[in-house]
Every structure is written in structure tokens, then in C-alpha cells.
């Protein structure tokens, strides 16, 4: 009896070994050919990128969140390909499933001796601050929040500029002269979205009403639906959201309304990335436009600087329209007409050449509206 | 020929082995190398002092939630609420650590005690409802999880928020972290909580095996009707069991609050410590020592899996598959029992 059990045990063990062995055998030839093809390409570019590597740690959203983290990873991939780096050596990412993973992930990448390590999202602020202090020879960059340390570059975005243009588009599109804003959690960050949007709307027509609501969450879709339902029912026809997944509920509500009543158009303005796909209902699309935050551009830019030896350590970079890090999507050309496009470009010009300084706080907004 | 004791040991071991085997098959099928994958897993869990420290750190709360669920289970209760008890324990410990300024010898034990009380209080509600009204504890504990999640988020935002989504840091005197341990494990987040977990396991073993209380609890777990017939108070024992189970889970939260993070941050969703604790208890056959060992395995798998994508290119989700398969085989220990009995028959 005992022997039989031992036999099963032995069979299982040997099965593992055999399987493992054939796994590696299968793998090797494939790897070799891979190496050959990439070697050719790297040979040419190697002089440009002799010795530089970059990696990132995601926040809880994960690398395939169709938003922030994914965008950052696309930036790193683009950077890696441009300079002929190899994934796993030249560039890589580490995924965090919860907040306890931030430190092990950061330290893991440090031990693999990456030259520049990104923390994506303000949630990583504490962890990046700690590892930056104990690893002064490694460069770090934090997106969406600010750390003051010589080996950390902080990157934030001028969301108010993009939101201003979203406000212009909303003001031009609305027929009821009522528009709405739905924010995620009350914070200085989301405030910038709100204030910029209101400023943009009022710049076009000071008589348009803007209703502002906060969901106090970034994840509750149902909340978004009920906000959108009440807003659209009260005659608001354009809603701009800066509320993560809450916005998905707003899109759902808008799509339902269009399906039930195609003659009474309602619109949503998306955020962070082009949310055109979220707005498709039959052959109609409720996504008027989106305020696009190019995290990928930011990540690429900081990587370029670091590679050329000009790492902006200790600095706080605010990327906006002029860096192409903030933009307004024009994918939905049926709703986002040429006239709107021209007008928005006009305002964009005025922001770029400094004629308009977009407010960021409530006080600045008051002054701004008074000056109109 | 097979005593129950031996069986309790064999089933988990076979399940673990099968889990890794199926994981290897899946890796081969998808064109990854199992040797590279498992090597990366091993090195990522025990490869150097840093990773070993992280593995231990991850195992501490898992061991305690495992103890919580195992303890309740021995008394015939299914404590799905460890998750919520972790949250209230975490919050209570951090609150106590921030608000008071006492000498460390008093502050630290009191902080842990406060966390245990908070967890116990959270478990008291389902215990009371079960004992007096017969409301199933699974339903109530699940609801209590959501209450704990959202209430703790609200309290953090309203009263304890320092910046972003995090509370103030706890005072040094309530911290489980120490320079010595951090240096010894080359900078990992390991803290003295592992001693707390071992003491917890000892307490559970002692209560269950060496006291009259424990005997009654187990009797209620085996057969509540027989226990009542024998003159034991089933109600009192159910409430007692939930209180102690909640206490363990509350301490697990304290480990995160006083050790790993030194603060609490708002959570968008569950931390999964309580839910993983169910798997730990199951794999540990609901014993104290078993839970600690199972927690070590799960801690190693979780921390090691972080190294699999960057080092071996194997997706870390694969480890979740391995864990799921281990749980599957433990849960369906009937299959293994059946297989063994078949062999036994043939021999005759």
C-alpha cells in the first residue's frame, strides 16, 4: 500500500520534471530566432541607446485598465521600440494587485538595476518616496503627484486646459443652455477638471448653467447612471465627467436615451483617453469628444530626458497643451463638427499664446468669470 | 491503514503537488518554460534576504485570517466576514496608534488589543444573530464586510486623512517595524508581527485542545444537538467562537496597520486578506499549525509571483491558477480519498 502511494508520488514528480524539460526544449529554438531578428535591428540602434533601461510599476488598476496604466505602458513600449531596447532587459513593467505590492515591485525593479523607474498614479507616492530615499543612485518618476527629492521627477498634467476646451465644445453643442459636470472624489486634482470646464463654458456664453455633482467614488457605475438620469431629465444635454468608472454609467444612460428617443440628442464628454468606443449606440455615437491625457507622451518625454543625461530630478513638470500631453479628441466627426473644431482650435490658440490663463481653483474661477 | 490524521496531511500535500503540476502543464501549453517560471517564483519568494522578508511579511496577516476562519469552522461556523473584521481591526489599530502617545511597551500591545476588540465586535453581530435568531452567519458576515469597507473609507476621509487617500502615520511607539529587522532582511517591510502570528496560533491550539471551553466549542462544531443534550450552551458557544474568530481577523488588520503600512489608506475594494484566509484555513485542515504553514505557502506564492513576469516572462496570473487548483483539490479531497481507497481495495 505504502509502495503504491510512493509510486503515485514518483510518477507525479517525474511528470513535472518531464513536462518542465520539454517546456524548455520547445522554448529555446523560438528564443534563438527571436534573438537573431532583434539583434539585427538592435545592432544599428545600439550606438544610440548604449546602456539605458526603464520600467514602471502600475497602481491597483493593472496594466490593462484601458486607461491610465495602459497608456503609460504604451509610452514605455514605444520608447523601447524606438531605441531598440528589449523587453525584460531594456524596458518592462511590474503589476500591482494591491497596495502591499508597491514596495516589492519597486524594489524588485531596483534589484534588476533599471536606470529609471516610474510610479504610475498618486497612490504610489509614499512608496516611491521611501525607495527614492534609500536608493539615491536610481532615478524615479511619479505621475500625477509631487515628491520633492533630487532623484525623483514629478509629472502632473494641466487638466484645466483640456477641460476648458471641453467646456467650449459643450457650450457650442448644447441646445438647452444647460450642461453638467460629474466628478469622482473631491480633491484638488478633480477640482482642476471642474474649474477648467466651467471657465470654458462661461467663456463662450456666460448665461449657460453648469450643474456640478460629485460621486465621491471612482468605481460605482450605478451612481453615474443615476446622476446622468437626473441631469438629462432636467434638460441638461451635455455631461462632462472626470470620474473613472462612474463615467461608464453616464455613457450607459446616454446610450439608452438615444436608443429610446433618437430625436432628443444627449452627449457625454469622455476623459483621460478617447472614449469614443464607449459612446457607440447603433449608428449613433453619444461621445461628443474626450479630454485626452497623454500619459504615454509624458512617460516617453521623461525617459528621453533621462537617457540623454538630462533627467529632471527634483523638478515638477506640468505638461499641457503645448507639450501635446493634453488634447481634445475629434473622432466623432458627426457630432464634433468642423465649426466646433475651428472654434475650439481658436481658444486653444489663445491658451497657447497666453491670452487666457485657465483657472485652477474656485477663487481663480471667480476672478476669471468676473473678468469676462 | 489510513488514520484521519495521516489523511489530513496527505490531502493538502497531494493537492499542492497537483496544483504545481497542472500549473506546469498550463505553462507548457502556452509556450512558457515551467522550469524558468518556477525558478523565478522560488527566487522571488526566497531568493535573497529581501524577498524572504517580504514572503514572511505577506504570510503574517494570512496566517491570522486563516486562524480566524479555522477557529470559527471548528465550532461549525463559516466566518466569511474575516475581510470586514480585518478592515475594522486595521482602522482601530491605526486610530489608536495615531491618537495616543504612550510608552511602546504599553502602546503596542494596547493597539493590537484594540484591533482585536474591534474585530470581535464586528463578528459579535453575526454571532448574536445566529445564536438568538438563527440567521445564517454567511449572509450576515458578507453584509458586514461591505459595511466595514465603506464605513472605514468614510472614517478615514472624514477624520484621519493626511493626504491623498492615506491616514496620518501611527506614532513610532505603536509600530511593529524595527530597524534591526528591516536591515537584517535588506530593506524589506518585514515586522515583528510574525511573533504575534505564532502566539495567535499557540493561543488557538491551546484554547481548542487544552481547555474546557475549547472542548465545548468543538463539541458544538461536531453536533450542536448532541452538545445541547449534553448540557452545553450552544448559543453562548456560537457567540464565543465568533468573538474569538473576529479577534484573530482584527489582529490581522492590525498587522497591516501597525506593521506593513504604518497607516491605512482608503480601499476601492476588498483587500482579499479575509477571503484568502478561507483558502489558508482549508489547506491547513482548520488546525493552528496547518494555517501557519499554509499561510507561508500562500505568502511565498503571492510574493514570488511578482517576479515571474519580469524575470521569466510568465504571467503572474498563472500563480492564481495554481492556487485555485490547490484549493480545488483540497476541497474535493473526496476524489483523493476515493483514489486511495480504491488502491486499498485492490491490495486486498
Amino acid at each position: 500500500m505504502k509502495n503504491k502511494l510512493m509510486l503515485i508520488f514518483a510518477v507525479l514528480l517525474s511528470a513535472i520534471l518531464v513536462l518542465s524539460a520539454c517546456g524548455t526544449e520547445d522554448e529555446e529554438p523560438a528564443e534563438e530566432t527571436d534573438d537573431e531578428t532583434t539583434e539585427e535591428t538592435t545592432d544599428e540602434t545600439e550606438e544610440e541607446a548604449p546602456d539605458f533601461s526603464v520600467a514602471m510599476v502600475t497602481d491597483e488598476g493593472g496594466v490593462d485598465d484601458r486607461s491610465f496604466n495602459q497608456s503609460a505602458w504604451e509610452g514605455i513600449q514605444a520608447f523601447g521600440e524606438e531605441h531598440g531596447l528589449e523587453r525584460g532587459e531594456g524596458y518592462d513593467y511590474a503589476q500591482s494587485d494591491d497596495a502591499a505590492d508597491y514596495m516589492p515591485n519597486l524594489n524588485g525593479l531596483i534589484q534588476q538595476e533599471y536606470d529609471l523607474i516610474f510610479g504610475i498614479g498618486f497612490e504610489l507616492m509614499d512608496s516611491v518616496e521611501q525607495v527614492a530615499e534609500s536608493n539615491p543612485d536610481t532615478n524615479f518618476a511619479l505621475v500625477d503627484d509631487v515628491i520633492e527629492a533630487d532623484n525623483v521627477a514629478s509629472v502632473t498634467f494641466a487638466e484645466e486646459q483640456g477641460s476648458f476646451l471641453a467646456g467650449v465644445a459643450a457650450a457650442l453643442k448644447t441646445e438647452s443652455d444647460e450642461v453638467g459636470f460629474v466628478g469622482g472624489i473631491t480633491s484638488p486634482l478633480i477640482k482642476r477638471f471642474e474649474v477648467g470646464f466651467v471657465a470654458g463654458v462661461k467663456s463662450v456664453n456666460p448665461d449657460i448653467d453648469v450643474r456640478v455633482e460629485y460621486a465621491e467614488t471612482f468605481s460605482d457605475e450605478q451612481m453615474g447612471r443615476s446622476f446622468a438620469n437626473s441631469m438629462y431629465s432636467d434638460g441638461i444635454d451635455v455631461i462632462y465627467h472626470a470620474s473613472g468608472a462612474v463615467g461608464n454609467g453616464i455613457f450607459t444612460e446616454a446610450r439608452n436615451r438615444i436608443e429610446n428617443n433618437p430625436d432628443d440628442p444627449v452627449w457625454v464628454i469622455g476623459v483621460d483617453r478617447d472614449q469614443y468606443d464607449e459612446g457607440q449606440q447603433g449608428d449613433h455615437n453619444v461621445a461628443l469628444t474626450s479630454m485626452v491625457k497623454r500619459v504615454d507622451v509624458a512617460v516617453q518625454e521623461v525617459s528621453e530626458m533621462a537617457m540623454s543625461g538630462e533627467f529632471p530630478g527634483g523638478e515638477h513638470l506640468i505638461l499641457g497643451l503645448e507639450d501635446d500631453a493634453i488634447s481634445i479628441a475629434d473622432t466623432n466627426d458627426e457630432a464634433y463638427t468642423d465649426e466646433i473644431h475651428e472654434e475650439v482650435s481658436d481658444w486653444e490658440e489663445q491658451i497657447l499664446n497666453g491670452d487666457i490663463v485657465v483657472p485652477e481653483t474656485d477663487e481663480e474661477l471667480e476672478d476669471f468669470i468676473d473678468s469676462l | 491503514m489510513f488514520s484521519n490524521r495521516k489523511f489530513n496531511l496527505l490531502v493538502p500535500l497531494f493537492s499542492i503537488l497537483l496544483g504545481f503540476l497542472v500549473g506546469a502543464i498550463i505553462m507548457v501549453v502556452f509556450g512558457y518554460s515551467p522550469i524558468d517560471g518556477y525558478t523565478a517564483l522560488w527566487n522571488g519568494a526566497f531568493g535573497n534576504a529581501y524577498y524572504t522578508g517580504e514572503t514572511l511579511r505577506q504570510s503574517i496577516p494570512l496566517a491570522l485570517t486563516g486562524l480566524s476562519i479555522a477557529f470559527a469552522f471548528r465550532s461549525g461556523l463559516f466566518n466569511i466576514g474575516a475581510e470586514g473584521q480585518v478592515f475594522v481591526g486595521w482602522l482601530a489599530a491605526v486610530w489608536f496608534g495615531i491618537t495616543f502617545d504612550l510608552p511602546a511597551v504599553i502602546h503596542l500591545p494596547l493597539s493590537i488589543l484594540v484591533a482585536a476588540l474591534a474585530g470581535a465586535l464586528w463578528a459579535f453581530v453575526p454571532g448574536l444573530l445566529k445564536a438568538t435568531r438563527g440567521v445564517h452567519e454567511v449572509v450576515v458576515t458578507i453584509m458586514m464586510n461591505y459595511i466595514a469597507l465603506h464605513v472605514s473609507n468614510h472614517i478615514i476621509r472624514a477624520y484621519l486623512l493626511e493626504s491623498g487617500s492615506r491616514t496620518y502615520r501611527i506614532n513610532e511607539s505603536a509600530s511593529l517595524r524595527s530597524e534591526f529587522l528591516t536591515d537584517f532582511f535588506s530593506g524589506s517591510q518585514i515586522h515583528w508581527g510574525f511573533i504575534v502570528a505564532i502566539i495567535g496560533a499557540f493561543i488557538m491550539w491551546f484554547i481548542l485542545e487544552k481547555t474546557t471551553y475549547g472542548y465545548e466549542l468543538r463539541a458544538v462544531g461536531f453536533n450542536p444537538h448532541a452538545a445541547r443534550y449534553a448540557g452545553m450552551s450552544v448559543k453562548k458557544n456560537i457567540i464565543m467562537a465568533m468573538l474569538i474568530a473576529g479577534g484573530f481577523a482584527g489582529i490581522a488588520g492590525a498587522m497591516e496597520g501597525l506593521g506593513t503600512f504604518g497607516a491605512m489608506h482608503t480601499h476601492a475594494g476588498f483587500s482579499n486578506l479575509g477571503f484568502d484566509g478561507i483558502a489558508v484555513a482549508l489547506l491547513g485542515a482548520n488546525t493552528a499549525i496547518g494555517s501557519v504553514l499554509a499561510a507561508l505557502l500562500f505568502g511565498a506564492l503571492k510574493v514570488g509571483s511578482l517576479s515571474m513576469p519580469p524575470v521569466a516572462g510568465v504571467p503572474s496570473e498563472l500563480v492564481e491558477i495554481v492556487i485555485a487548483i490547490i484549493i480545488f483539490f483540497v476541497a474535493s479531497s473526496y476524489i483523493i480519498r476515493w483514489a486511495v481507497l480504491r488502491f486499498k481495495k485492490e491490495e486486498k
Side-chain angles (χ1 to χ4, degrees):
Chain A
M1 183 60 238
K2 245 188 191 158
N3 289 341
K4 274 224 164 112
L5 265 182
M6 288 304 289
L7 195 73
I8 300 175
F9 204 76
V11 169
L12 281 178
L13 267 180
S14 49
I16 289 181
L17 286 177
V18 169
L19 277 171
S20 314
C22 49
T24 37
E25 269 166 21
D26 286 351
E27 194 78 338
E28 265 163 23
E31 256 174 28
E32 267 165 33
T33 48
D34 253 20
D35 285 347
E36 273 164 33
T37 47
T38 42
E39 255 166 37
E40 280 166 33
T41 50
T42 44
D43 275 348
E44 299 158 28
T45 44
E46 217 153 64
E47 289 151 42
E48 287 175 42
D51 189 22
F52 184 77
S53 56
V54 53
M56 62 173 256
V57 178
T58 73
D59 70 8
E60 286 166 296
V63 81
D64 47 5
D65 64 351
R66 293 195 288 162
S67 173
F68 209 66
N69 291 297
Q70 185 166 350
S71 180
W73 174 230
E74 282 164 6
I76 288 193
Q77 280 175 306
F79 174 81
E81 271 157 33
E82 191 183 324
H83 297 283
L85 299 173
E86 253 184 272
R87 168 137 191 229
E89 283 168 28
Y91 65 98
D92 211 339
Y93 74 89
Q95 175 137 333
S96 315
D97 292 327
D98 60 62
D101 293 343
Y102 298 155
M103 289 295 282
N105 274 337
L106 286 167
N107 278 306
L109 293 174
I110 291 167
Q111 293 190 0
Q112 291 178 53
E113 297 183 338
Y114 280 95
D115 298 316
L116 171 63
I117 299 170
F118 280 91
I120 308 298
F122 66 87
E123 278 190 36
L124 276 91
M125 183 174 156
D126 279 349
S127 309
V128 172
E129 201 164 17
Q130 278 180 44
V131 293
E133 199 183 316
S134 41
N135 299 279
D137 297 334
T138 309
N139 286 332
F140 298 90
L142 181 71
V143 178
D144 249 14
D145 214 324
V146 184
I147 292 177
E148 278 167 25
D150 287 342
N151 56 336
V152 185
S154 311
V155 184
T156 61
F157 293 86
E159 288 94 356
E160 70 280 2
Q161 293 181 348
S163 301
F164 184 93
L165 299 180
V168 170
L172 294 171
K173 195 70 192 174
T174 179
E175 283 162 13
S176 60
D177 279 359
E178 286 176 76
V179 298
F181 170 82
V182 176
I185 294 170
T186 316
S187 57
L189 174 69
I190 302 300
K191 197 75 195 172
R192 289 211 295 273
F193 287 88
E194 179 205 323
V195 168
F197 180 69
V198 175
V201 172
K202 299 283 185 190
S203 303
V204 176
N205 180 356
D207 297 330
I208 297 179
D209 275 332
V210 187
R211 186 156 129 204
V212 175
E213 299 276 9
Y214 276 84
E216 295 308 338
T217 163
F218 283 110
S219 52
D220 190 348
E221 287 192 23
Q222 204 51 47
M223 201 92 142
R225 274 201 79 165
S226 60
F227 275 135
N229 184 14
S230 112
M231 283 183 171
Y232 287 137
S233 300
D234 291 352
I236 288 172
D237 55 359
V238 185
I239 299 178
Y240 174 45
H241 88 93
S243 57
V246 176
N248 298 344
I250 301 176
F251 273 105
T252 311
E253 179 66 24
R255 286 201 311 268
N256 284 350
R257 279 180 178 259
I258 284 296
E259 196 185 12
N260 296 334
N261 192 358
D263 302 326
D264 191 12
V266 291
W267 306 102
V268 187
I269 299 177
V271 80
D272 282 353
R273 63 185 188 93
D274 188 354
Q275 294 195 306
Y276 179 77
D277 293 341
E278 310 285 329
Q280 196 69 37
Q281 178 67 47
D283 41 358
H284 191 85
N285 195 311
V286 297
L288 173 60
T289 174
S290 298
M291 202 287 281
V292 183
K293 201 164 142 178
R294 298 291 301 273
V295 184
D296 52 340
V297 172
V299 167
Q300 262 176 289
E301 197 154 304
V302 174
S303 305
E304 294 283 354
M305 289 187 202
M307 197 175 73
S308 55
E310 288 158 14
F311 177 71
E315 285 176 38
H316 174 197
L317 307 176
I318 305 174
L319 301 180
L321 288 170
E322 56 195 1
D323 312 282
D324 289 329
I326 293 280
S327 65
I328 285 288
D330 53 6
T331 335
N332 191 355
D333 44 20
E334 257 175 59
Y336 190 74
T337 55
D338 287 343
E339 293 94 76
I340 299 181
H341 185 82
E342 270 169 37
E343 189 108 357
V344 169
S345 307
D346 233 34
W347 289 97
E348 187 176 347
E349 205 56 43
Q350 293 185 52
I351 296 176
L352 284 175
N353 61 29
D355 289 347
I356 293 177
V357 179
V358 182
E360 291 178 44
T361 61
D362 280 335
E363 293 86 53
E364 287 174 27
L365 178 65
E366 264 175 48
D367 297 344
F368 182 83
I369 292 177
D370 288 344
S371 71
L372 284 175
Chain B
M1 187 177 269
F2 277 97
S3 63
N4 245 344
R5 213 194 172 85
K6 217 166 173 185
F7 222 98
N8 283 343
L9 199 65
L10 267 181
V11 171
L13 285 182
F14 264 100
S15 307
I16 294 166
L17 204 62
L18 282 169
F20 280 110
L21 180 69
V22 176
I25 293 174
I26 294 173
M27 278 191 241
V28 171
V29 168
F30 286 96
Y32 303 111
S33 154
I35 287 192
D36 289 354
Y38 285 140
T39 311
L41 181 71
W42 174 262
N43 288 337
F46 300 106
N48 58 32
Y50 174 79
Y51 287 126
T52 312
E54 281 299 316
T55 297
L56 284 176
R57 194 266 309 158
Q58 180 72 53
S59 308
I60 296 165
L62 285 176
L64 284 159
T65 51
L67 289 177
S68 164
I69 284 140
F71 193 92
F73 202 80
R74 291 289 281 276
S75 324
L77 296 164
F78 206 13
N79 180 22
I80 311 273
E83 188 69 45
Q85 293 145 20
V86 165
F87 274 98
V88 292
W90 188 342
L91 183 66
V94 167
W95 165 76
F96 197 83
I98 295 170
T99 316
F100 294 91
D101 209 354
L102 304 164
V105 268
I106 309 172
H107 201 182
L108 182 55
L110 271 185
S111 302
I112 297 175
L113 197 67
V114 166
L117 284 177
L121 181 74
W122 216 250
F124 173 70
V125 179
L128 186 72
L129 287 172
K130 167 92 174 178
T132 59
R133 288 273 159 265
V135 187
H136 205 287
E137 75 277 9
V138 167
V139 179
V140 184
T141 47
I142 289 177
M143 293 196 289
M144 295 294 282
N145 283 345
Y146 284 95
I147 301 174
L149 171 67
H150 293 295
V151 166
S152 61
N153 276 350
H154 174 76
I155 293 178
I156 292 171
R157 275 194 210 109
Y159 304 108
L160 298 170
L161 201 68
E162 183 180 14
S163 70
S165 56
R166 181 172 60 70
T167 65
Y168 297 101
R169 295 207 165 279
I170 53 166
N171 290 322
E172 209 42 49
S173 53
S175 175
L176 279 164
R177 296 284 283 275
S178 79
E179 289 276 316
F180 166 72
L181 272 183
T182 309
D183 289 347
F184 189 78
F185 287 101
S186 31
S188 102
Q189 303 171 86
I190 178 78
H191 50 86
W192 288 114
F194 66 91
I195 294 178
V196 179
I198 291 167
I199 295 174
F202 177 77
I203 291 176
M204 166 166 164
W205 170 81
F206 188 80
I207 293 180
L208 279 182
E209 310 290 341
K210 298 286 159 196
T211 65
T212 341
Y213 252 142
Y215 185 80
E216 285 195 15
L217 287 172
R218 280 186 294 149
V220 170
F222 283 130
N223 189 336
H225 304 292
R228 183 178 298 127
Y229 191 70
M232 300 168 187
S233 166
V234 175
K235 287 182 183 180
K236 194 192 78 186
N237 277 304
I238 286 178
I239 294 178
M240 255 331 264
M242 281 307 281
L243 281 177
I244 295 174
F248 279 130
I251 295 175
M255 296 302 105
E256 297 292 88
L258 306 176
T260 309
F261 294 103
M264 185 171 182
H265 43 86
T266 55
H267 283 75
F270 290 123
S271 68
N272 279 336
L273 286 174
F275 297 134
D276 288 339
I278 299 174
V280 168
L282 194 64
L283 186 60
N286 295 313
T287 60
I289 180 77
S291 295
V292 171
L293 293 177
L296 268 177
L297 175 74
F298 277 68
L301 286 174
K302 281 203 175 298
V303 172
S305 73
L306 294 175
S307 299
M308 280 170 70
V311 176
V314 179
S316 60
E317 281 83 358
L318 221 123
V319 170
E320 278 166 40
I321 297 179
V322 170
I323 291 179
I325 291 165
I326 293 174
I327 297 168
F328 173 78
F329 280 112
V330 178
S332 54
S333 62
Y334 174 76
I335 298 176
I336 299 174
R337 206 175 281 259
W338 173 81
V340 172
L341 287 179
R342 243 187 96 105
F343 277 115
K344 208 167 164 184
K345 255 187 210 156
E346 272 174 24
E347 203 148 84
K348 279 177 191 169

